[in-house]
């Protein structure tokens, strides 16, 4: 993975898939800006505490699920987009969508989530 945005997205997904809170709390400051905004269709989160809350809530609703990139990462300027799938341990996909992120330096400053219907 020589694409710097791909490396950031990889760190991001590892945090969303991590079940250990200490691992997440340690990795959040190096992956997200302090004032990061996460926009989902029904709720918005901000800051490091917001990232942790968003991850905890998603994992509580969908235990034993994992996120993975499913298509190419497209980048224009500081914005990137990619498709993802959320699947259970059995490999069955339960949700799919697209994220649009803005990156400054080595950190995500915004992430907008779009679910496929």
């Amino acid at each position: 993975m020589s694409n710097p945005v791909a490396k950031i997205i990889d760190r991001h997904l590892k945090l969303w898939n991590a079940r250990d809170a200490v691992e997440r709390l340690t990795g959040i400051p190096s992956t997200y800006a302090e004032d990061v905004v996460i926009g989902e269709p029904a709720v918005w989160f901000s800051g490091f505490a917001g990232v942790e809350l968003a991850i905890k809530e998603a994992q509580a609703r969908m235990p034993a699920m994992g996120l993975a990139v499913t298509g190419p990462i497209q980048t224009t300027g500081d914005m990137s987009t990619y498709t993802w799938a959320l699947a259970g341990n059995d490999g069955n996909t339960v949700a799919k969508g697209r994220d649009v992120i803005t990156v400054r330096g080595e950190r995500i400053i915004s992430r907008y989530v779009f679910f496929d219907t």
Side-chain angles (χ1 to χ4, degrees):
M1 235 188 256
S2 61
N3 179 343
V5 174
K7 291 177 183 180
I8 294 166
I9 292 169
D10 185 55
R11 286 196 326 254
H12 155 73
L13 291 179
K14 283 181 181 175
L15 290 171
W16 280 76
N17 289 327
R19 300 296 183 223
D20 179 53
V22 173
E23 179 182 346
R24 290 192 309 269
L25 292 172
T26 302
I28 286 172
S30 63
T31 304
Y32 303 92
E34 189 171 357
D35 59 349
V36 64
V37 173
I38 298 173
E40 296 184 4
V43 66
W44 286 65
F45 300 91
S46 63
F48 294 157
V51 173
E52 173 62 8
L53 180 60
I55 295 170
K56 283 173 55 176
E57 287 184 1
Q59 289 181 355
R61 286 190 316 269
M62 298 170 279
M65 300 286 173
L67 280 167
V69 172
T70 59
I73 298 167
Q74 299 172 306
T75 300
T76 300
D78 61 356
M79 296 183 73
S80 297
T81 186
Y82 58 92
T83 55
W84 53 263
L86 179 68
N89 291 336
D90 59 4
N92 289 325
T93 299
V94 297
K96 296 188 300 183
R98 173 175 296 281
D99 282 0
V100 177
I101 64 169
T102 306
V103 173
R104 185 177 308 130
E106 294 289 316
R107 295 187 184 131
I108 296 170
I109 61 171
S110 66
R111 174 179 172 241
Y112 299 98
V113 181
F114 298 88
F115 292 95
D116 290 348
T117 54

